[in-house]
Amino acid sequence: MKTITVLVGSLRKDSVNRTFAQALEKLAADKFRFVFPDLGAVPHYNEDLWQDLPQSVSTLKRQIEEGDGVLFVTPEYNRTFAPLLANAIAWASRPYGKSSFMNKPGAVIGTSPGAIGAAAGQMHLRALLPVVGVIQLGQPEVYLQWKPGIVDADLAFTDATTREFLTKFINAFDTFIDRTALDEAA
Ligand code: FNR
């Protein structure tokens, strides 16, 4: 069982990205345990705060470091990724040389009610992650258009094709984490 730190870029009570992550957690229950850091508790990035580091930040860094992998789940805001994620990533990437993401296997997914399924937002996030040390899964990409009923009240994906596709993603991420660990050990 692998522990995956899941960073969801929305604080909204009815966030489709959070629901997506929770449904994926259920689908992946035989392989992954998801940990959801509280990104809403993390203050706006301010270099001065390192003098007396907020516990929310040290907890975030520890949760990322302890995980076997990190999953970024982003809404798309104005064709880029969510500012909540930008803030969390800034904190976790510092101090310089001590990024919590260093050599951590990671993957990006996201959803939006729009037809492009957060694709443009995900692309921007993908460009940033290697800079902070994430070793990134390339395929399969997951661009999910969120429609009413796509997930039922028990957090199950209702469509078999979607379930199959997301199972492929889960398996690919699982294998990728194993491969990255082998590379690191070599
Ligand atoms: C959006 N939304 C949006 N959707 C999209 O597909 N492309 C976009 O560029 C944007 N831009 C955008 C900007 C801002 C400021 C907001 C608030 C929203 C819509 C967005 O995808 C939708 O609100 C999702 O439901 C947000 O995700 P959560 O909060 O439901 O997870």
Side-chain angles (χ1 to χ4, degrees):
M1 182 69 66
K2 295 182 175 77
T3 299
I4 308 296
T5 313
V6 184
L7 305 183
V8 179
S10 175
L11 298 175
R12 223 162 60 79
K13 178 169 53 68
D14 295 324
S15 163
V16 298
N17 282 278
R18 178 162 295 273
T19 307
F20 180 25
Q22 288 167 333
L24 197 69
E25 176 179 32
K26 191 167 177 182
L27 191 65
D30 61 329
K31 286 189 160 49
F32 296 154
R33 182 179 78 90
F34 279 11
V35 171
F36 292 89
D38 181 6
L39 302 191
V42 175
H44 287 152
Y45 188 84
N46 177 345
E47 196 79 19
D48 298 340
L49 298 183
W50 284 102
Q51 286 158 21
D52 183 14
L53 194 63
Q55 189 165 359
S56 57
V57 176
S58 44
T59 301
L60 171 67
K61 283 182 69 67
R62 181 178 47 75
Q63 286 173 318
I64 293 167
E65 288 162 20
E66 285 177 357
D68 297 299
V70 57
L71 180 65
F72 300 84
V73 188
T74 190
E76 180 167 306
Y77 281 180
N78 301 326
R79 299 286 178 267
T80 188
F81 58 92
L84 185 69
L85 285 179
N87 189 56
I89 293 167
W91 275 115
S93 69
R94 304 299 285 183
Y96 181 75
K98 293 192 174 159
S99 172
S100 302
F101 296 112
M102 195 49 72
N103 298 329
K104 201 54 82 179
V108 174
I109 61 171
T111 187
S112 114
I116 59 172
Q122 291 189 49
M123 291 310 289
H124 282 232
L125 185 52
R126 286 206 175 88
L128 152 63
L129 293 183
V131 177
V132 298
V134 172
I135 302 172
Q136 197 168 177
L137 176 71
Q139 290 286 346
E141 297 162 290
V142 178
Y143 306 127
L144 186 72
Q145 183 179 17
W146 194 263
K147 295 180 183 152
I150 194 167
V151 161
D152 69 17
D154 295 324
L155 293 170
F157 292 98
T158 50
D159 175 59
T161 313
T162 306
R163 259 194 324 269
E164 239 171 71
F165 173 65
L166 291 173
T167 302
K168 267 189 202 154
F169 166 77
I170 289 161
N171 291 338
F173 192 30
D174 187 41
T175 305
F176 181 72
I177 293 171
D178 286 339
R179 254 198 354 244
T180 307
L182 281 177
D183 287 349
E184 283 300 301

